[in-house]
Amino acid sequence: MIFDDGQAVLLLQELVGTPSISGDEAAAVAVAVRWMCELGFVADADGVGNAVGSLGDGPRELLLLGHIDTVPGQVPIRREGDLFYGRGSVDAKGPLSAFIAAVGRLGALPGLRLTVVGAVEEEAATSRGARYLLDRHQPEFVIIGEPSGWESVTLGYKGRLLIDYELTRGLTHTAGQDVSAAEQAFAFWQSLSAWCESRNAGLDKAFDRILPSIRTITAAPQGLYDATHMTLSLRLPPVFDREDFEVAARGWAGDAQLSYRGYEAAYRASARTPLASAFRAAIRQQGGRAGTLVKTGTSDMNVVGPVWQCPILAYGPGDSSLDHTPDEHIDLREYLRAIAVLQDAITRLCS
């Protein structure tokens, strides 16, 4: 198969054009597996539904871990000049398509086993696909497929903790003096925000600060009862005492019920590795500035980095400020340039 730039764009368009909301990725996985097989990979869906393809049988594994799922919300598929619109074009089917294209163009390399994974449920705060890989691989190098822009790599991601707040109490008249369930929930949010601000004192960089947000809130009478539910999110810095937070939160909650899920510790990789050096050289070879980033979100780097303890970074085309937005789109010129960077960086690791 002649895999030129036109074919690389077709791969991206078909993958983005196949919906794959977290938990319902099978159709897109089949597309990725078919393209990888056509490019010479040994490819199939694994035990949890990840798209997995390998090239080469060397003793050293380079694992390129993207994710194939997306958040909900339809972005109409269209192309306007070099801009291609669609849900997942940036987060993160653009990076995953670049992985498949770059490895497919390189083919088998001496000494390396190149493995591309389109993982499931990264957006669902379960990272089910990445967790399935943990005891099945021990790679020498890992590239996470997330948008960094073609001329930068990402070396760190903040952690995350989700808090579910539930309060149900007897309904009272709004003209009375009793505090409503919604007002009590709002007081909890104010206490949580103030606690975060106190811990953030003197810290200027977003990566080092605790960043709270309200993800969902519902407040409505249910027959004889007044009920409020909130889901809150904390984006966590490298230094965070979870036990200290939970003790404080229990004190603010009163008779509300609290539960926790989706916890990931922050992770920051070293910039002084052969992997990072290979990317710096490859980006400069393409005329880029070779920048490094840390992100306030999370990725599968938070899951696999602490376990595999190998050189790791995240790379991929796309502007991450467009993640999850109604305007999500990727510049195809950047996408093709990222493929060239990946080819160069992987070749340098091989040699």
Side-chain angles (χ1 to χ4, degrees):
M1 179 181 183
I2 299 174
F3 199 76
D4 58 15
D5 287 352
Q7 290 293 106
V9 170
L10 288 175
L11 161 62
L12 173 67
Q13 290 175 332
E14 184 175 0
L15 199 55
V16 172
T18 307
S20 55
I21 295 171
S22 296
D24 190 17
E25 304 98 339
V29 166
V31 170
V33 167
R34 173 169 53 78
W35 275 92
M36 286 193 282
C37 288
E38 289 176 0
L39 288 166
F41 291 73
V42 176
D44 205 345
D46 68 12
V48 294
N50 295 325
V52 182
S54 293
L55 267 173
D57 57 2
R60 305 160 61 210
E61 183 179 31
L62 167 60
L63 197 150
L64 298 94
L65 174 57
H67 69 88
I68 201 163
D69 63 319
T70 71
V71 296
Q74 185 176 1
V75 177
I77 301 293
R78 66 189 190 277
R79 181 171 175 177
E80 298 178 1
D82 289 315
L83 303 184
F84 176 63
Y85 289 76
R87 175 61 75 223
S89 56
V90 173
D91 188 17
K93 293 179 179 179
L96 176 59
S97 297
F99 284 179
I100 295 171
V103 173
R105 284 179 174 178
L106 286 171
L109 295 174
L112 277 183
R113 183 169 76 260
L114 303 175
T115 303
V116 175
V117 179
V120 299
E121 293 190 22
E122 192 272 350
E123 297 287 4
T126 62
S127 289
R128 184 175 181 229
R131 294 186 194 284
Y132 182 79
L133 304 173
L134 290 176
D135 59 359
R136 291 171 170 81
H137 295 263
Q138 189 55 62
E140 185 168 340
F141 305 106
V142 176
I143 307 169
I144 301 292
E146 292 285 351
S148 59
W150 78 269
E151 57 180 337
S152 295
V153 299
T154 302
L155 293 175
Y157 287 89
K158 289 175 73 76
R160 176 193 60 222
L161 180 64
L162 300 178
I163 307 111
D164 289 310
Y165 172 103
E166 295 271 4
L167 177 61
T168 302
R169 56 195 311 175
L171 193 64
T172 61
H173 198 286
T174 56
Q177 299 299 309
D178 291 331
V179 175
S180 70
E183 288 170 321
Q184 188 169 327
F186 182 65
F188 177 86
W189 164 250
Q190 288 180 308
S191 296
L192 182 150
S193 298
W195 184 90
C196 291
E197 280 304 305
S198 71
R199 297 304 189 276
N200 291 338
L203 301 174
D204 297 325
K205 295 181 179 179
F207 193 78
D208 298 324
R209 297 168 61 88
I210 305 169
L211 304 179
S213 64
I214 300 175
R215 294 181 59 155
T216 65
I217 181 167
T218 58
Q222 298 178 0
L224 297 175
Y225 297 95
D226 184 15
T228 296
H229 172 265
M230 291 192 301
T231 297
L232 309 174
S233 172
L234 296 183
R235 294 295 182 177
L236 307 177
V239 178
F240 176 75
D241 188 331
R242 181 176 174 181
E243 182 178 355
D244 179 46
F245 169 75
E246 291 189 14
V247 168
R250 184 67 265 160
W252 313 323
D255 53 349
Q257 298 297 311
L258 300 179
S259 58
Y260 300 93
R261 58 189 172 87
Y263 174 72
E264 300 290 354
Y267 189 83
R268 187 164 190 165
S270 172
R272 297 183 177 183
T273 66
L275 180 64
S277 295
F279 268 89
R280 285 193 294 268
I283 291 167
R284 289 172 183 147
Q285 181 66 31
Q286 290 295 318
R289 60 182 177 84
T292 58
L293 307 169
V294 291
K295 296 289 189 71
T296 55
T298 56
S299 78
D300 280 337
M301 183 187 291
N302 299 75
V303 175
V304 303
V307 176
W308 286 336
Q309 290 290 309
C310 65
I312 188 171
L313 55 77
Y315 181 76
D319 177 356
S320 61
S321 70
L322 298 172
D323 291 2
H324 304 183
T325 69
D327 193 41
E328 185 174 3
H329 65 274
I330 194 167
D331 188 319
L332 295 175
R333 294 166 298 183
E334 178 182 354
Y335 167 66
L336 295 172
R337 187 164 283 178
I339 293 171
V341 169
L342 283 160
Q343 289 179 252
D344 190 343
I346 294 168
T347 302
R348 291 172 189 271
L349 285 173
C350 180
S351 61

